[in-house]
Amino acid sequence: RQDLNIISNHWNWIRVYGSRGITRNILDIIKEDSLSIQVMLGAWIGSVESEEGILNNINEIKEAIFLSNTYKSIVNSINIGNETLVFWSDHKVPLDTLHHYISYVKKNVNIPVTTADDFNTWNKNDNQSIAEISDFIVLHIHPLWGGLQLDQSVDWVKTIYNEIKIIYPDKLIVIGETGWATQKHNQGIQAELIKGKTGESEQKQFIYQFR
């Protein structure tokens, strides 16, 4: 509740990644406290290689539909899946399965429906059918993970955004993820891929330059 009241002083649109867990609490607090916040509701989608995975996806989708129809004044869009198509995802979903999920949700709600993914998904011809069925595109552009230094980061984000806009000139494109981390691991894939200096002052610089 404290977080949401702070957020409401600075932002009027937030995104949640799943429909279960604390999501209903978030929506209730926004309603109870009359906060001027709209929500992009998420349905967390994962592997369909097991019955458990399939059931999880179905339950997420059903709850997303229920919440969007229950909190109509708060939920302004639904995002089905997060980074489920990009080649490095650890929770990949078949293209036709995601297409079916999005189509099903669109038939059961009256708000825009989409999916969110890395730019390395949206720039692939194979995924254009997902872009076509999505009411708008949620685009992830992370310059830090792209190996960029801070002074190059915002220009790189702009370049990537414009490249995707050229591919989908008639689609609204929302940057759903970008930013600059305050710290990183000194081992593993973060140490391998992240070349820029991390820190609170660096994050502040990125946010101000980005805005």
Side-chain angles (χ1 to χ4, degrees), residues 61-106:
I61 288 170
K62 285 183 175 180
E63 186 69 6
I65 292 170
F66 171 78
L67 292 177
S68 68
N69 289 326
T70 302
Y71 298 86
K72 292 184 178 180
S73 64
I74 300 172
V75 178
N76 67 3
S77 53
I78 298 179
N79 184 81
I80 306 298
N82 181 70
E83 296 178 345
T84 61
L85 296 177
V86 67
F87 65 91
W88 42 256
S89 175
D90 63 358
H91 51 280
K92 284 177 68 69
V93 173
L95 190 73
D96 58 345
T97 301
L98 182 61
H99 194 283
H100 173 73
Y101 288 161
I102 295 173
S103 177
Y104 178 80
V105 175
K106 284 169 66 78

Side-chain angles (χ1 to χ4, degrees), residues 71-211:
Y71 298 86
K72 292 184 178 180
S73 64
I74 300 172
V75 178
N76 67 3
S77 53
I78 298 179
N79 184 81
I80 306 298
N82 181 70
E83 296 178 345
T84 61
L85 296 177
V86 67
F87 65 91
W88 42 256
S89 175
D90 63 358
H91 51 280
K92 284 177 68 69
V93 173
L95 190 73
D96 58 345
T97 301
L98 182 61
H99 194 283
H100 173 73
Y101 288 161
I102 295 173
S103 177
Y104 178 80
V105 175
K106 284 169 66 78
K107 292 175 182 177
N108 287 278
V109 299
N110 294 312
I111 54 176
V113 181
T114 185
T115 189
D117 223 309
D118 186 73
F119 72 93
N120 270 313
T121 288
W122 295 116
N123 62 9
K124 302 293 189 294
N125 290 333
D126 292 346
N127 298 320
Q128 292 201 10
S129 64
I130 298 298
E132 290 170 2
I133 196 173
S134 297
D135 293 310
F136 63 101
I137 288 174
V138 182
L139 175 63
H140 296 176
I141 316 174
H142 285 288
L144 193 56
W145 281 100
L148 277 293
Q149 299 294 327
L150 181 60
D151 60 355
Q152 307 163 322
S153 60
V154 174
D155 285 341
W156 186 76
V157 171
K158 185 185 296 185
T159 296
I160 297 298
Y161 177 91
N162 287 332
E163 288 176 357
I164 302 302
K165 188 64 179 175
I166 289 171
I167 299 172
Y168 307 106
D170 299 324
K171 288 283 185 181
L172 173 66
I173 299 175
V174 174
I175 297 179
E177 286 187 15
T178 190
W180 200 264
T182 58
Q183 56 184 312
K184 67 176 180 178
H185 292 298
N186 57 13
Q187 296 179 356
I189 195 164
Q190 285 195 28
E192 179 184 341
L193 296 179
I194 294 178
K195 308 301 181 184
K197 180 183 177 182
T198 57
E200 290 187 12
S201 62
E202 286 78 13
Q203 185 179 79
K204 182 177 180 180
Q205 288 181 60
F206 175 85
I207 291 171
Y208 273 87
Q209 292 171 17
F210 178 79
R211 291 186 65 188

